Amino acid sequence: GGLGHLGVQFAAKMGATVVAISRTDAKAAEARGLGAHDFLASRDAESMSAAAGTFDVLLNTVSSTEDLDAYIGLLKPRGVMACVGLPEKTEKTRLFLHPLVLQERIISGSYLGPSADYAEMLDFACAHNIRPMVELYPVAQINDAIERVKQNQARYRCVLLMEELHWPAR
């Protein structure tokens, strides 16, 4: 999604073997086009079971309270799930700790970093042609953009075009 499609591009350009994960296979071709080597549909129990214990790192970009247990199960012992997406403050995530503790798996989080990290990231993005996928909307169509986001149909960010607003002269 919004962060995930960028994560796929960054990881691929950094030389990682990337497996994109989404609930269904609807984004599989798009993920491969962004650099993913493989794709995993998380609602496909057979595929999730086959992938269990095979991941060194998971970059969790979802903002929902999706079942984390299923994703923790994908990690190798001592594997790391880095969470950069957050659900709403009022929503709690549940997690069964046994697979985490017994396999010495790690959950980490990252929200914002120092400005030097942003500069390095943007330099890397420019050097490797990493670009966000956006849908452009004139301000008059703001309700359409909001509805696409609510319906999880935006690919992958909606951007409002402010050019039609008449800004006061300076």
Side-chain angles (χ1 to χ4, degrees):
L3 286 175
H5 84 286
L6 291 168
V8 167
Q9 292 177 76
F10 273 100
K13 297 294 183 175
M14 290 177 170
T17 300
V18 178
V19 178
I21 302 173
S22 191
R23 289 184 290 266
T24 69
D25 63 2
K27 297 178 185 175
E30 204 164 43
R32 286 186 174 92
L34 293 170
H37 299 87
D38 205 353
F39 188 87
L40 181 60
S42 63
R43 290 198 177 148
D44 180 346
E46 190 175 309
S47 295
M48 289 290 283
S49 180
T54 63
F55 286 71
D56 294 305
V57 176
L58 279 171
L59 178 62
N60 179 352
T61 64
V62 299
S63 58
S64 68
T65 56
E66 196 76 20
D67 177 18
L68 291 182
D69 293 332
Y71 298 101
I72 292 294
L74 295 173
L75 292 170
K76 292 179 180 178
R78 296 192 176 145
V80 176
M81 178 188 286
C83 300
V84 295
L86 286 173
E88 294 294 325
K89 289 180 183 180
T90 57
E91 296 181 34
K92 292 186 178 184
T93 303
R94 295 180 51 140
L95 178 66
F96 185 58
L97 290 175
H98 284 77
L100 187 71
V101 173
L102 298 177
Q103 295 292 316
E104 298 180 6
R105 294 170 172 145
I106 300 162
I107 295 179
S108 67
S110 181
Y111 188 60
L112 298 173
S115 59
D117 288 354
Y118 293 131
E120 182 180 351
M121 177 202 61
L122 291 172
D123 288 344
F124 186 88
C126 289
H128 293 89
N129 199 32
I130 296 171
R131 305 260 187 262
M133 294 174 63
V134 298
E135 296 178 8
L136 302 175
Y137 288 88
V139 173
Q141 293 178 4
I142 188 171
N143 291 331
D144 296 337
I146 291 170
E147 191 57 34
R148 283 191 54 81
V149 170
K150 283 182 179 178
Q151 297 300 319
N152 197 28
Q153 295 174 338
R155 295 291 180 262
Y156 284 96
R157 294 279 187 208
C158 291
V159 176
L160 295 177
L161 298 170
M162 305 304 279
E163 61 198 25
E164 64 189 54
L165 292 180
H166 300 287
W167 300 98
R170 292 186 189 196

